[in-house]
Amino acid sequence: MSKLLRITYCALFLVLLSGVARAAEPAGLTIVNTLAANGGEAYSLNVQSLLVITALAFLPGLILLMTSFTRIIIVLSILRQALGLQTTPPNMVLAALALALSVFVMRGVIQQEQQQALQPYLAGDITFSQAVAAAEPPERAFMLAQTRKEPLHLFVDLSGKTYQDPQHIPFTVLVPAFATSELETAFQIGFLMYIPFVLIDLAVASILMSLGMIMVSPTLISLPLKLLMFVSIHGWVLVLGTLANSFK
């Protein structure tokens, strides 16, 4: 799993830095020069290196926005609230589970990027620009397949440009459209998943009210019932399986 995660980060790193590399590479501007006193050797820091170092701070968040992680973590968080559990499972467990499922969902994209871009680049067969160009199509195809028309049209209109083919849409437009679509899909799945637990809460509250037990909190009775129902129907298997199949 750790090797697959490293491959994921390396492959997506090539895609995320495409705009940075393309913008900075032609210029080749040098912003820092230092002349050694004895040998006269010059050390320079160009714009491309500076932008790459700066991009590293935003890399984890950008990677998560370009994968299935957003939808999965939101649905799992809604599930925890629907069960009535505040801190169980912990946030770290949910994030780790969402990350593992994201790697599983995107294994096809990761394999394509590894074969087409990462391995040739590490072997020295292609340049960085060629590796970026080879890594873009699998990631772009994944995001376009999951992006809804309304968010995509919205951000295309906000960009003020027109594109004849979705394949020509830049990542600066595609990434926010994809993230917005993931939010919509996650909330739809969460709403449908929330309904059975709400019905249990309403049933327990009605029964307690009819018995005159108005001082007893409905949560005290409904929580074990919801946990019993969730475990008896293998809820985690159903939820994770539904999330994985939703990307197909």
Side-chain angles (χ1 to χ4, degrees):
M1 180 63 70
S2 59
K3 181 179 179 181
L4 188 56
L5 289 175
R6 289 196 299 268
I7 294 174
T8 304
Y9 279 104
C10 291
L12 292 178
F13 178 78
L14 297 176
V15 178
L16 291 173
L17 295 183
S18 59
V20 174
R22 291 176 180 176
E25 186 177 2
L29 300 177
T30 300
I31 60 175
V32 176
N33 282 324
T34 301
L35 189 61
N38 49 2
E41 185 177 359
Y43 300 90
S44 64
L45 176 65
N46 54 34
V47 174
Q48 180 178 354
S49 300
L50 179 62
L51 292 177
V52 169
I53 294 173
T54 305
L56 291 176
F58 303 95
L59 182 62
L62 291 176
I63 288 179
L64 298 182
L65 285 180
M66 297 175 63
T67 64
S68 58
F69 182 86
T70 302
R71 182 189 306 184
I72 297 172
I73 191 63
I74 291 177
V75 172
L76 293 181
S77 299
I78 294 177
L79 172 63
R80 183 174 63 180
Q81 294 182 3
L83 287 171
L85 304 173
Q86 301 298 326
T87 58
T88 305
N91 293 330
M92 185 177 296
V93 174
L94 290 183
L97 181 60
L99 183 60
L101 187 59
S102 299
V103 174
F104 176 79
V105 169
M106 299 194 63
R107 63 191 184 279
V109 178
I110 296 171
Q111 291 175 357
Q112 293 180 24
E113 292 179 343
Q114 179 186 3
Q115 296 173 0
Q116 300 175 10
L118 185 59
Q119 290 181 351
Y121 175 71
L122 295 178
D125 299 332
I126 58 177
T127 62
F128 177 79
S129 299
Q130 293 174 341
V132 169
E136 283 186 5
E139 184 67 26
R140 182 185 298 273
F142 172 80
M143 290 194 293
L144 284 175
Q146 305 298 329
T147 303
R148 299 170 180 265
K149 294 182 180 179
E150 292 79 7
L152 186 59
H153 291 166
L154 170 63
F155 286 98
V156 169
D157 294 339
L158 292 177
S159 66
K161 299 180 181 180
T162 57
Y163 305 96
Q164 298 179 353
D165 190 350
Q167 300 297 330
H168 297 148
I169 298 177
F171 277 88
T172 54
V173 177
L174 182 57
V175 171
F178 170 75
T180 305
S181 299
E182 289 296 283
L183 290 177
E184 292 185 2
T185 305
F187 275 93
Q188 289 180 358
I189 297 175
F191 171 76
L192 296 176
M193 186 174 55
Y194 217 108
I195 293 178
F197 300 104
V198 172
L199 295 178
I200 294 177
D201 289 334
L202 291 176
V204 171
S206 300
I207 293 174
L208 292 177
M209 185 69 68
S210 63
L211 294 176
M213 303 173 63
I214 59 176
M215 300 301 295
V216 178
S217 175
T219 307
L220 185 64
I221 307 300
S222 63
L223 179 58
L225 293 178
K226 289 188 290 187
L227 291 177
L228 178 61
M229 182 199 71
F230 189 73
V231 172
S232 62
I233 63 174
H234 304 286
W236 287 111
V237 176
L238 293 176
V239 171
L240 297 180
T242 301
L243 285 173
N245 291 325
S246 66
F247 290 95
K248 296 182 179 179

